[in-house]
Amino acid sequence: MNKLAKITAASSCQLPITDHAGLRTALAEANLPSLLMVYATYTQDLDYVKSFAPYLTGAYTASAPNTVPEAMAKDLRDRLFDLLTRPDAPAEPVLDPETLRQMMGVSVGEDIAPSLVPVLYDQMGFEQPVPRKELPGRPTPPAGFKVLVIGGGMTGIAAGVKLEEAGYDYTIIEKNDELGGTWYENRYPGVGVDTPSHFYSYSFELNPEWSTYHPKGGEVQNYLTSVADKYGIRRHVQFGTMVDEARWDDAGNVWKVTLRDVKTGATRVETATAVMLAHGVLNRWSMPKIAGLDTFKGIKMHSAGWDPSVSLAGKRVALIGTGASAAQMGPAIAKEAAELTIFQRSKHWVLNAPERNADTVSEGIKFALRHIPHYKEWYRFRVYWFTGDGLYPNVRMDPDWPNHDVSISPSNDAARTYALGYIQERLKTRPDLLEKLIPDYPIFGKRIILDQEGGWLDTMMKPNVTLETDAIDHIEADAIVTKGGKRYEVDAIALATGFELTPALGPLKVYGRGGCDLAAAWGHDEARAYLGVMAPEYPNFFMTLGPNSAPNHAAGVNMVLEAQINFIIEALDMIVAAGGHAIEPTMDAYLDWNRRVEEQMKQMIWSHPKAKSYYLTSTGRNFVSCPFTLADYWTWTRRPDKSAMVVS
Ligand code: NAP
């Protein structure tokens, strides 16, 4: 970004604010660094901003009690009150990137690289981009140019919004009878989002109304469907429909897509110029292969296939798995079950997420989000930083760091110390649990569990909860038996055992130029793509969250999906601008990208010999994680590099 940035307040943020009592409450409750940024947005008084620098700290103390001296905090609140209520409302500011960068740095207590400013500016929602179809001089997609989107979850809905804004005719194929994807399907007890939703949401639809910082699944689902309704997405959706096959027609330069009605099984073929895969990565679940599981006579439900009408109250419940889903289910189940036995196969690092301790978003803070201009954008920036790229150094191995067995870099070590301190403090009365729970691999080697008071670790200590670390040997009609011969009689088994990620296409068949078969090319473990989005020989076929594009160092799936949708529409625009029919990456670009991914991956924690996770294929190759920062990935997906593309 080398031009001045004009920042436009949302329409709900009109100055002057006339509800003085509401504003006072908001200023008292709102996040102080974010308020400082609002003040600085209007005044650009960098000296004043920098006077707060000694008191604003970096990651892992992000939500620690405010250390800004009360007199300074009061001064800031008073200044803001005057600014926001004065009859001659201040003009909408224009910020130059360097001022913005310095402000951001003070706000999060860390230096911000100049290269990050454009991505932060875009993704924080400071300025709504002009819909593509309103851009002067942009060629209009020709009649009959049709995009078929597979999946109506978080990605499919955003794709619909952006395709519409770009003037493309599109259809979303959704297997369920409602939009929302993961958030529609996952209904297990306690289902919710680990990433604060003030960030885990669309940059083009910031929501000041989240009831908590980590909303439950239903609230996320309502957000997604309300966005879909606002933008009129539903009329483009074919519900209850599966895609079985997509086949490129070389002669017609179109995809022939075989669709199947989920209820009747009837199939039909539709034609599309482009196909966008938005069917999610964590989508295919199945019962794990545990001997005797099918002989169990009691209640048996997988997290992703949960029937919420089934009550576990008063029952003896087994929970298999200790990943992110289990850590949400466990506390909810333990509240009502007579007994809960948690079966742990391997240890997961648990990290304190202090903001969860005050999870309800107060009315004062909602007032700030709704009415104080730019507060919700600055707050989003803060959340992004502490849950997004600010965490990248944690997962990158520092060759100079001495003992990689324990940790891989100074910041990884700091995160370990922070997590360890939390676990030890929380479990101080239960040394038996400490021994069972503290992992022997560096933190972030697999996905961490976020915790808070009353959460996962506290649940482990409840009198009705047992943590079993002996491996399961087999399951009988009414019991789970461990290798050591311990028999747990249970009424219900809750399976939080994750998803099948390989083979990456699942049952979907994709045939490109000359009938080449993507599933065969990838085999079980070799899914690769260019930027995680395209592959040579598969023209106009676009993946989202495809190979090596998941932001596993941090939160930010929302950012990646927006970046990929942007890239895809830019690629479609290249076809239109060239008057062509098809676009695909060159083999060189594809090979080069995969070489870069492989090189970078060697430096990442997921390549640590002790790190085992679902990111790895059976051959130990990480095909899920993007080894680069969100900001870099965002930058590279602004538009396709012409030299990397063939338009025909
Ligand atoms: P997961 O991370 O794959 O965890 C599965 C758990 O089941 C692991 O503890 C695994 O042990 C265990 N397991 C698997 N098969 C087993 C078997 N046969 N016997 C015993 N234990 C077995 O799955 P998940 O918890 O559903 O989470 C998947 C992903 O969904 C997360 O990483 C996250 O990306 C996403 N998620 C997000 C949220 C959110 O808040 N946004 C919430 C839930 C999930 P091992 O560790 O030994 O493999």
Side-chain angles (χ1 to χ4, degrees):
M1 189 167 77
N2 50 19
K3 60 182 171 57
L4 295 178
K6 176 138 183 347
I7 295 186
T8 312
S11 55
S12 64
C13 300
Q14 292 304 319
L15 294 182
I17 294 176
T18 51
D19 179 354
H20 290 190
L23 178 59
R24 283 272 182 223
T25 309
L27 292 173
E29 293 178 4
N31 175 267
L32 205 71
S34 305
L35 289 178
L36 178 64
M37 292 302 108
V38 172
Y39 181 73
T41 301
Y42 284 105
T43 63
Q44 300 185 40
D45 184 346
L46 280 180
D47 288 340
Y48 185 70
V49 168
K50 285 177 184 168
S51 70
F52 284 77
Y55 310 105
L56 300 178
T57 50
Y60 301 114
T61 44
S63 304
N66 190 8
T67 56
V68 174
E70 191 41 46
M72 283 180 79
K74 181 176 179 317
D75 179 67
L76 170 62
R77 292 186 182 113
D78 289 346
R79 284 174 184 235
L80 255 181
F81 184 86
D82 291 346
L83 185 87
L84 300 173
T85 56
R86 70 180 209 215
D88 57 328
E92 279 301 328
V94 175
L95 291 174
D96 72 89
E98 178 53 23
T99 305
L100 203 56
R101 188 187 77 80
Q102 292 192 35
M103 286 163 58
M104 287 169 167
V106 173
S107 137
V108 295
E110 288 176 50
D111 197 31
I112 305 267
S115 59
L116 289 182
V117 175
V119 56
L120 299 174
Y121 183 79
D122 174 87
Q123 277 296 308
M124 299 320 113
F126 280 128
E127 189 180 53
Q128 291 311 314
V130 178
R132 278 184 172 81
K133 62 185 168 196
E134 291 170 22
L135 290 172
R138 175 177 172 269
T140 312
F145 194 118
K146 180 158 185 165
V147 184
L148 190 131
V149 180
I150 305 177
M154 192 169 186
T155 309
I157 293 169
V161 172
K162 294 295 164 185
L163 285 165
E164 180 82 44
E165 283 182 359
Y168 285 99
D169 182 15
Y170 73 95
T171 301
I172 296 175
I173 308 297
E174 170 54 55
K175 71 177 188 306
N176 295 321
D177 51 9
E178 175 56 299
L179 295 166
T182 284
W183 297 107
Y184 174 68
E185 288 179 14
N186 279 261
R187 298 166 189 205
Y188 58 80
V191 60
V193 58
D194 275 352
T195 310
S197 274
H198 295 93
F199 175 49
Y200 182 82
S201 47
Y202 301 126
S203 67
F204 57 88
E205 268 307 323
L206 302 197
N207 174 22
E209 304 301 332
W210 295 113
S211 67
T212 68
Y213 294 97
H214 300 87
K216 293 296 173 211
E219 192 170 349
V220 182
Q221 170 66 4
N222 286 343
Y223 165 78
L224 293 176
T225 52
S226 65
V227 172
D229 289 337
K230 175 173 170 183
Y231 289 88
I233 304 296
R234 278 179 202 282
R235 63 196 160 84
H236 295 271
V237 185
Q238 294 184 19
F239 288 105
T241 307
M242 284 287 282
V243 180
D244 285 342
E245 181 183 300
R247 187 178 284 274
W248 178 252
D249 172 353
D250 284 308
N253 282 313
V254 287
W255 286 94
K256 301 275 185 189
V257 186
T258 307
L259 308 176
R260 177 168 43 88
D261 186 299
V262 170
K263 287 202 186 87
T264 65
T267 60
R268 64 186 189 282
V269 176
E270 278 199 16
T271 300
T273 318
V275 171
M276 188 190 300
L277 212 53
H279 65 354
V281 186
L282 300 168
N283 180 282
R284 278 176 288 135
W285 62 271
S286 58
M287 292 295 181
K289 292 172 189 61
I290 302 176
L293 178 59
D294 52 345
T295 67
F296 183 70
K297 294 275 182 274
I299 300 164
K300 185 173 57 182
M301 289 188 284
H302 188 280
S303 59
W306 200 270
D307 177 356
S309 68
V310 176
S311 169
L312 297 181
K315 299 216 159 37
R316 297 165 303 172
V317 182
L319 173 58
I320 304 182
T322 51
S325 300
Q328 293 184 339
M329 292 166 86
I333 294 174
K335 279 188 192 130
E336 56 171 14
E339 292 167 19
L340 173 66
T341 308
I342 300 168
F343 290 86
Q344 173 180 274
R345 185 164 72 177
S346 42
K347 300 169 181 179
H348 296 240
W349 276 102
V350 176
L351 196 60
N352 183 23
E355 267 178 357
R356 291 171 147 218
N357 293 339
D359 214 31
T360 304
V361 182
S362 71
E363 278 309 308
I365 290 176
K366 279 192 197 153
F367 185 104
L369 290 160
R370 282 180 203 131
H371 301 305
I372 297 182
H374 315 302
Y375 178 82
K376 65 179 180 309
E377 292 83 2
W378 277 113
Y379 185 68
R380 182 175 170 96
F381 161 67
R382 187 172 180 76
V383 179
Y384 157 76
W385 192 256
F386 289 122
T387 62
D389 276 344
L391 303 181
Y392 186 74
N394 288 325
V395 295
R396 188 165 175 188
M397 297 191 209
D398 178 347
D400 297 328
W401 186 247
N403 184 1
H404 277 205
D405 202 39
V406 175
S407 55
I408 57 155
S409 69
S411 58
N412 182 264
D413 198 60
R416 182 181 196 279
T417 305
Y418 181 81
L420 199 57
Y422 171 72
I423 300 170
Q424 286 169 334
E425 171 60 25
R426 196 141 286 293
L427 299 178
K428 61 183 174 216
T429 57
R430 291 289 304 273
D432 59 315
L433 285 178
L434 272 179
E435 207 174 298
K436 289 179 174 176
L437 284 168
I438 295 177
D440 67 346
Y441 57 88
I443 188 167
F444 294 106
K446 65 202 291 178
R447 192 195 192 275
I448 48 155
I449 303 300
L450 294 180
D451 197 36
Q452 76 283 357
E453 199 177 332
W456 183 230
L457 294 184
D458 280 354
T459 297
M460 300 270 186
M461 294 192 288
K462 284 190 157 188
N464 64 335
V465 176
T466 304
L467 175 64
E468 179 53 78
T469 54
D470 190 13
I472 296 172
D473 183 73
H474 68 276
I475 294 177
E476 298 175 354
D478 61 346
I480 296 185
V481 183
T482 69
K483 295 264 186 227
K486 211 159 174 189
R487 192 170 184 282
Y488 290 91
E489 284 189 7
V490 292
D491 307 307
I493 301 179
L495 294 136
T497 45
F499 299 83
E500 273 178 26
L501 280 82
T502 50
L505 284 176
L508 177 66
K509 297 183 180 66
V510 179
Y511 301 102
R513 287 196 189 282
C516 59
D517 178 346
L518 189 58
W522 281 356
H524 191 265
D525 290 334
E526 289 300 317
R528 292 171 201 268
Y530 172 65
L531 285 169
V533 178
M534 300 172 81
E537 302 294 319
Y538 298 87
N540 302 358
F541 181 77
F542 302 99
M543 295 163 256
T544 57
L545 297 171
N548 294 112
S549 70
N552 290 139
H553 63 281
V557 77
N558 49 301
M559 216 163 134
V560 170
L561 69 87
E562 285 190 26
Q564 292 181 332
I565 291 166
N566 170 75
F567 179 89
I568 292 165
I569 295 177
E570 289 290 326
L572 297 177
D573 279 7
M574 277 174 78
I575 305 174
V576 175
H581 300 288
I583 189 165
E584 64 194 283
T586 65
M587 187 56 83
D588 281 351
Y590 163 84
L591 291 174
D592 182 56
W593 168 257
N594 280 286
R595 260 193 301 272
R596 282 169 59 198
V597 165
E598 243 160 61
E599 272 311 300
Q600 187 74 9
M601 196 63 82
K602 287 180 196 156
Q603 303 175 33
M604 307 309 286
I605 191 156
W606 312 298
S607 305
H608 191 283
K610 284 186 181 172
K612 305 273 175 273
S613 68
Y614 69 79
Y615 310 153
L616 308 181
T617 64
S618 60
T619 58
R621 190 175 75 85
N622 186 330
F623 79 111
V624 174
S625 314
C626 177
F628 306 105
T629 61
L630 288 164
D632 277 343
Y633 188 78
W634 180 92
T635 306
W636 298 330
T637 47
R638 282 304 77 206
R639 58 194 48 86
D641 171 0
K642 279 191 179 150
S643 68
M645 292 288 143
V646 182
V647 179
S648 51

